[in-house]
Amino acid sequence: MRSRRAVLPDGERPAAVFVRDGRIAAVEPYDAPGPDGVDLGEVALLPGLVDTHVHVNEPGRTEWEGFATATRAAAAGGVTTIVDMPLNSLPPTVSVDALALKRAAATGQCHVDTGFWGGAVPGNAADLPALYEAGVFGFKAFLVDSGVPEFPPLSPPELAEALAAVDALFVIHAEDPAAIAPATTSPHYADFVASRPPLAETGAVGTVVAAAAATGRRLHVLHLSAAEALPSIVDAPTVTAETCPHYLALTAEEVPDGATEFKCCPPIRGAANRDALWQGLASGAIDCVVSDHSPCAPELKRADTGDFAAAWGGIASLQLGLPVVWTQAAARGFTLADVVRWMAARPAEIVGLSGKGRIAVGYDADLVAFEPDAAFVVDAGRLRHRHAVTPYHGRALLGKVRTTWLRGTVVDGVKPRGRLLSRGAA
């Protein structure tokens, strides 16, 4: 595969990428002799993106999303590896038996490679070592109500118990329930944002940082929304953090009354906060950008009433993450190499996917043809997610995914070729 804009670990340059048996065998100059293959010309060649924060919801809530639809959308968006969250499926992935059910549901359905997180909930600390040995990439925990009763939050002592049970990566939904006010019935987004102030995140991130310092464990802050929490993370050597496309692209000021498709937790905040998150990415305080794809059945978004308090909190964006981030990044002077670092290389490194996220010899030939200068307008009805609900509908974006290859084979959206990944064997 030849491209004059191949994004390699040392930057963007013309290159020819030779693939053998599903892996990258060589990276040579653009005009290196070899088979005709695919010549992309000025279309960029990226490594497949690695999205480590996806709620597939199957089994149990497959009417919200499922492995077939989620992974088809992922491939259409240039994502070749996902790691599925332990909720909102039923049962949640909090035991070895539940993991077996999750893997059985995913078998034969995945269009991209798929791994799994385990869950840490009150009372299951003794189950965590066996679940880790069974192949999950680490453990998700909430410090606040998760929104589903079968996945309750951990108190700080319960978090400490879980961390003591297994030496693994813990990924934390960091909001402090003491700083969150009950959301009142309202169609006004400002009322919802006010109920979950930045203090809720800064306090909970402080809890995460303290737990990391006390135990030496690796902890990862999920979907960071409040830029005020960044200084605490920078000073914590075993704490990493992610943010999401919606926090980098959308602003509270632009959310219309009743537009519950914008609701997520923690919330989208103001434009100044958005700019500060971009500064966090530039400085390295924020490690990566992942989707937190969290769809639901459309009626749960309560578009009929526009009530932010009653609506499900989650944004469907798995297919759109790359163009959403690239649109903003390009306007701010960042490069495709920056985006690849945030959305491919760094997520893979954090979770231990040693063969993913780079165009380099020995890595899986997960590749994306991306036309960075192509503009389009989002049509929710054309997305591959199960439901056509997204806050990006009608938004003009920059950058189109032309082709996605999984281990050197085009992902056609018809024949599932994705593998189920296990920690250590990925």
PDB file of all heavy atoms in Angstrom, residues 53-58 65 70 83-88 140 142 292-295:
ATOM      1  N   HIS A  53     -13.039   2.739  24.606  1.00  0.00           N
ATOM      2  CA  HIS A  53     -14.191   3.107  25.435  1.00  0.00           C
ATOM      3  C   HIS A  53     -15.463   3.041  24.598  1.00  0.00           C
ATOM      4  O   HIS A  53     -15.948   4.058  24.086  1.00  0.00           O
ATOM      5  CB  HIS A  53     -14.001   4.512  26.006  1.00  0.00           C
ATOM      6  CG  HIS A  53     -14.942   4.839  27.119  1.00  0.00           C
ATOM      7  ND1 HIS A  53     -14.627   5.715  28.129  1.00  0.00           N
ATOM      8  CD2 HIS A  53     -16.197   4.404  27.399  1.00  0.00           C
ATOM      9  CE1 HIS A  53     -15.651   5.814  28.968  1.00  0.00           C
ATOM     10  NE2 HIS A  53     -16.617   5.019  28.537  1.00  0.00           N
ATOM     11  N   VAL A  54     -16.004   1.837  24.480  1.00  0.00           N
ATOM     12  CA  VAL A  54     -17.200   1.602  23.663  1.00  0.00           C
ATOM     13  C   VAL A  54     -18.198   0.779  24.471  1.00  0.00           C
ATOM     14  O   VAL A  54     -17.847  -0.253  25.043  1.00  0.00           O
ATOM     15  CB  VAL A  54     -16.849   0.866  22.359  1.00  0.00           C
ATOM     16  CG1 VAL A  54     -18.108   0.604  21.540  1.00  0.00           C
ATOM     17  CG2 VAL A  54     -15.833   1.657  21.544  1.00  0.00           C
ATOM     18  N   HIS A  55     -19.443   1.235  24.499  1.00  0.00           N
ATOM     19  CA  HIS A  55     -20.525   0.480  25.132  1.00  0.00           C
ATOM     20  C   HIS A  55     -21.322  -0.224  24.032  1.00  0.00           C
ATOM     21  O   HIS A  55     -22.112   0.403  23.329  1.00  0.00           O
ATOM     22  CB  HIS A  55     -21.454   1.415  25.915  1.00  0.00           C
ATOM     23  CG  HIS A  55     -20.812   2.057  27.101  1.00  0.00           C
ATOM     24  ND1 HIS A  55     -20.852   1.500  28.361  1.00  0.00           N
ATOM     25  CD2 HIS A  55     -20.104   3.208  27.218  1.00  0.00           C
ATOM     26  CE1 HIS A  55     -20.203   2.293  29.216  1.00  0.00           C
ATOM     27  NE2 HIS A  55     -19.739   3.328  28.538  1.00  0.00           N
ATOM     28  N   VAL A  56     -21.100  -1.522  23.896  1.00  0.00           N
ATOM     29  CA  VAL A  56     -21.799  -2.288  22.855  1.00  0.00           C
ATOM     30  C   VAL A  56     -23.175  -2.738  23.334  1.00  0.00           C
ATOM     31  O   VAL A  56     -24.113  -2.844  22.545  1.00  0.00           O
ATOM     32  CB  VAL A  56     -20.950  -3.489  22.404  1.00  0.00           C
ATOM     33  CG1 VAL A  56     -21.709  -4.352  21.411  1.00  0.00           C
ATOM     34  CG2 VAL A  56     -19.634  -3.002  21.772  1.00  0.00           C
ATOM     35  N   ASN A  57     -23.299  -3.023  24.649  1.00  0.00           N
ATOM     36  CA  ASN A  57     -24.596  -3.302  25.291  1.00  0.00           C
ATOM     37  C   ASN A  57     -25.162  -4.697  25.034  1.00  0.00           C
ATOM     38  O   ASN A  57     -26.262  -5.000  25.507  1.00  0.00           O
ATOM     39  CB  ASN A  57     -25.654  -2.255  24.893  1.00  0.00           C
ATOM     40  CG  ASN A  57     -25.206  -0.845  25.149  1.00  0.00           C
ATOM     41  OD1 ASN A  57     -24.485  -0.567  26.098  1.00  0.00           O
ATOM     42  ND2 ASN A  57     -25.626   0.070  24.284  1.00  0.00           N
ATOM     43  N   GLU A  58     -24.474  -5.528  24.291  1.00  0.00           N
ATOM     44  CA  GLU A  58     -24.930  -6.897  24.024  1.00  0.00           C
ATOM     45  C   GLU A  58     -24.113  -7.862  24.861  1.00  0.00           C
ATOM     46  O   GLU A  58     -22.886  -7.691  24.950  1.00  0.00           O
ATOM     47  CB  GLU A  58     -24.763  -7.219  22.539  1.00  0.00           C
ATOM     48  CG  GLU A  58     -25.342  -8.560  22.139  1.00  0.00           C
ATOM     49  CD  GLU A  58     -25.260  -8.816  20.625  1.00  0.00           C
ATOM     50  OE1 GLU A  58     -24.661  -7.995  19.900  1.00  0.00           O
ATOM     51  OE2 GLU A  58     -25.792  -9.845  20.191  1.00  0.00           O
ATOM     52  N   GLU A  65     -27.768  -1.257  21.103  1.00  0.00           N
ATOM     53  CA  GLU A  65     -26.634  -1.409  20.189  1.00  0.00           C
ATOM     54  C   GLU A  65     -26.242  -2.876  20.231  1.00  0.00           C
ATOM     55  O   GLU A  65     -26.730  -3.624  21.054  1.00  0.00           O
ATOM     56  CB  GLU A  65     -25.465  -0.515  20.631  1.00  0.00           C
ATOM     57  CG  GLU A  65     -24.282  -0.447  19.665  1.00  0.00           C
ATOM     58  CD  GLU A  65     -24.598   0.240  18.356  1.00  0.00           C
ATOM     59  OE1 GLU A  65     -25.209  -0.425  17.495  1.00  0.00           O
ATOM     60  OE2 GLU A  65     -24.261   1.424  18.184  1.00  0.00           O
ATOM     61  N   ALA A  70     -22.256  -2.064  16.044  1.00  0.00           N
ATOM     62  CA  ALA A  70     -21.199  -1.218  16.605  1.00  0.00           C
ATOM     63  C   ALA A  70     -19.894  -1.400  15.835  1.00  0.00           C
ATOM     64  O   ALA A  70     -19.210  -0.416  15.516  1.00  0.00           O
ATOM     65  CB  ALA A  70     -20.993  -1.533  18.079  1.00  0.00           C
ATOM     66  N   VAL A  83     -12.464  -1.804  22.622  1.00  0.00           N
ATOM     67  CA  VAL A  83     -12.548  -2.528  23.893  1.00  0.00           C
ATOM     68  C   VAL A  83     -13.887  -2.167  24.511  1.00  0.00           C
ATOM     69  O   VAL A  83     -14.186  -0.994  24.749  1.00  0.00           O
ATOM     70  CB  VAL A  83     -11.382  -2.185  24.829  1.00  0.00           C
ATOM     71  CG1 VAL A  83     -11.451  -3.074  26.077  1.00  0.00           C
ATOM     72  CG2 VAL A  83     -10.032  -2.381  24.135  1.00  0.00           C
ATOM     73  N   ASP A  84     -14.693  -3.183  24.738  1.00  0.00           N
ATOM     74  CA  ASP A  84     -16.090  -3.031  25.157  1.00  0.00           C
ATOM     75  C   ASP A  84     -16.198  -2.873  26.666  1.00  0.00           C
ATOM     76  O   ASP A  84     -15.592  -3.627  27.439  1.00  0.00           O
ATOM     77  CB  ASP A  84     -16.869  -4.271  24.700  1.00  0.00           C
ATOM     78  CG  ASP A  84     -18.284  -4.295  25.213  1.00  0.00           C
ATOM     79  OD1 ASP A  84     -18.993  -3.297  25.042  1.00  0.00           O
ATOM     80  OD2 ASP A  84     -18.692  -5.326  25.798  1.00  0.00           O
ATOM     81  N   MET A  85     -16.995  -1.905  27.078  1.00  0.00           N
ATOM     82  CA  MET A  85     -17.203  -1.655  28.494  1.00  0.00           C
ATOM     83  C   MET A  85     -18.100  -2.736  29.127  1.00  0.00           C
ATOM     84  O   MET A  85     -18.922  -3.342  28.449  1.00  0.00           O
ATOM     85  CB  MET A  85     -17.822  -0.271  28.684  1.00  0.00           C
ATOM     86  CG  MET A  85     -16.815   0.861  28.550  1.00  0.00           C
ATOM     87  SD  MET A  85     -15.643   0.817  29.920  1.00  0.00           S
ATOM     88  CE  MET A  85     -14.418   2.015  29.357  1.00  0.00           C
ATOM     89  N   PRO A  86     -17.949  -2.955  30.450  1.00  0.00           N
ATOM     90  CA  PRO A  86     -18.669  -4.051  31.102  1.00  0.00           C
ATOM     91  C   PRO A  86     -20.140  -3.773  31.350  1.00  0.00           C
ATOM     92  O   PRO A  86     -20.870  -4.650  31.790  1.00  0.00           O
ATOM     93  CB  PRO A  86     -17.920  -4.214  32.431  1.00  0.00           C
ATOM     94  CG  PRO A  86     -17.361  -2.861  32.702  1.00  0.00           C
ATOM     95  CD  PRO A  86     -16.993  -2.306  31.358  1.00  0.00           C
ATOM     96  N   LEU A  87     -20.596  -2.553  31.132  1.00  0.00           N
ATOM     97  CA  LEU A  87     -22.002  -2.201  31.172  1.00  0.00           C
ATOM     98  C   LEU A  87     -22.269  -1.438  29.882  1.00  0.00           C
ATOM     99  O   LEU A  87     -21.320  -0.962  29.253  1.00  0.00           O
ATOM    100  CB  LEU A  87     -22.317  -1.340  32.408  1.00  0.00           C
ATOM    101  CG  LEU A  87     -21.791   0.127  32.423  1.00  0.00           C
ATOM    102  CD1 LEU A  87     -22.488   0.927  33.476  1.00  0.00           C
ATOM    103  CD2 LEU A  87     -20.311   0.285  32.525  1.00  0.00           C
ATOM    104  N   ASN A  88     -23.453  -1.460  29.356  1.00  0.00           N
ATOM    105  CA  ASN A  88     -24.755  -1.697  29.933  1.00  0.00           C
ATOM    106  C   ASN A  88     -25.359  -3.033  29.495  1.00  0.00           C
ATOM    107  O   ASN A  88     -26.571  -3.147  29.348  1.00  0.00           O
ATOM    108  CB  ASN A  88     -25.667  -0.546  29.529  1.00  0.00           C
ATOM    109  CG  ASN A  88     -25.087   0.805  29.957  1.00  0.00           C
ATOM    110  OD1 ASN A  88     -24.895   1.023  31.138  1.00  0.00           O
ATOM    111  ND2 ASN A  88     -24.818   1.682  29.037  1.00  0.00           N
ATOM    112  N   LYS A 140     -13.296  -1.495  34.950  1.00  0.00           N
ATOM    113  CA  LYS A 140     -14.039  -0.231  34.981  1.00  0.00           C
ATOM    114  C   LYS A 140     -14.743  -0.109  36.319  1.00  0.00           C
ATOM    115  O   LYS A 140     -15.359  -1.060  36.821  1.00  0.00           O
ATOM    116  CB  LYS A 140     -15.070  -0.234  33.843  1.00  0.00           C
ATOM    117  CG  LYS A 140     -16.175   0.835  33.922  1.00  0.00           C
ATOM    118  CD  LYS A 140     -15.664   2.194  33.489  1.00  0.00           C
ATOM    119  CE  LYS A 140     -16.794   3.217  33.387  1.00  0.00           C
ATOM    120  NZ  LYS A 140     -17.597   3.047  32.158  1.00  0.00           N
ATOM    121  N   PHE A 142     -17.114   2.932  38.713  1.00  0.00           N
ATOM    122  CA  PHE A 142     -17.770   4.227  38.855  1.00  0.00           C
ATOM    123  C   PHE A 142     -17.586   4.723  40.279  1.00  0.00           C
ATOM    124  O   PHE A 142     -17.642   3.930  41.228  1.00  0.00           O
ATOM    125  CB  PHE A 142     -19.275   4.115  38.577  1.00  0.00           C
ATOM    126  CG  PHE A 142     -19.659   4.143  37.131  1.00  0.00           C
ATOM    127  CD1 PHE A 142     -19.485   3.024  36.336  1.00  0.00           C
ATOM    128  CD2 PHE A 142     -20.205   5.285  36.559  1.00  0.00           C
ATOM    129  CE1 PHE A 142     -19.840   3.036  34.997  1.00  0.00           C
ATOM    130  CE2 PHE A 142     -20.565   5.312  35.227  1.00  0.00           C
ATOM    131  CZ  PHE A 142     -20.388   4.194  34.438  1.00  0.00           C
ATOM    132  N   ASP A 292     -16.293   7.003  23.951  1.00  0.00           N
ATOM    133  CA  ASP A 292     -17.370   6.781  24.916  1.00  0.00           C
ATOM    134  C   ASP A 292     -18.695   6.646  24.176  1.00  0.00           C
ATOM    135  O   ASP A 292     -19.705   7.265  24.536  1.00  0.00           O
ATOM    136  CB  ASP A 292     -17.444   7.874  25.970  1.00  0.00           C
ATOM    137  CG  ASP A 292     -18.423   7.539  27.106  1.00  0.00           C
ATOM    138  OD1 ASP A 292     -18.849   6.363  27.197  1.00  0.00           O
ATOM    139  OD2 ASP A 292     -18.785   8.439  27.879  1.00  0.00           O
ATOM    140  N   HIS A 293     -18.685   5.817  23.127  1.00  0.00           N
ATOM    141  CA  HIS A 293     -19.908   5.535  22.368  1.00  0.00           C
ATOM    142  C   HIS A 293     -20.898   4.872  23.310  1.00  0.00           C
ATOM    143  O   HIS A 293     -20.690   3.760  23.782  1.00  0.00           O
ATOM    144  CB  HIS A 293     -19.558   4.603  21.206  1.00  0.00           C
ATOM    145  CG  HIS A 293     -20.716   4.179  20.370  1.00  0.00           C
ATOM    146  ND1 HIS A 293     -21.394   5.037  19.540  1.00  0.00           N
ATOM    147  CD2 HIS A 293     -21.298   2.966  20.208  1.00  0.00           C
ATOM    148  CE1 HIS A 293     -22.352   4.374  18.900  1.00  0.00           C
ATOM    149  NE2 HIS A 293     -22.312   3.115  19.294  1.00  0.00           N
ATOM    150  N   SER A 294     -21.991   5.577  23.626  1.00  0.00           N
ATOM    151  CA  SER A 294     -22.955   5.068  24.602  1.00  0.00           C
ATOM    152  C   SER A 294     -24.375   5.341  24.131  1.00  0.00           C
ATOM    153  O   SER A 294     -25.066   6.227  24.644  1.00  0.00           O
ATOM    154  CB  SER A 294     -22.718   5.707  25.978  1.00  0.00           C
ATOM    155  OG  SER A 294     -23.560   5.120  26.948  1.00  0.00           O
ATOM    156  N   PRO A 295     -24.841   4.557  23.147  1.00  0.00           N
ATOM    157  CA  PRO A 295     -26.179   4.769  22.603  1.00  0.00           C
ATOM    158  C   PRO A 295     -27.241   4.111  23.468  1.00  0.00           C
ATOM    159  O   PRO A 295     -26.946   3.371  24.411  1.00  0.00           O
ATOM    160  CB  PRO A 295     -26.091   4.095  21.236  1.00  0.00           C
ATOM    161  CG  PRO A 295     -25.132   2.962  21.471  1.00  0.00           C
ATOM    162  CD  PRO A 295     -24.131   3.478  22.483  1.00  0.00           C
TER     163      PRO A 295
END
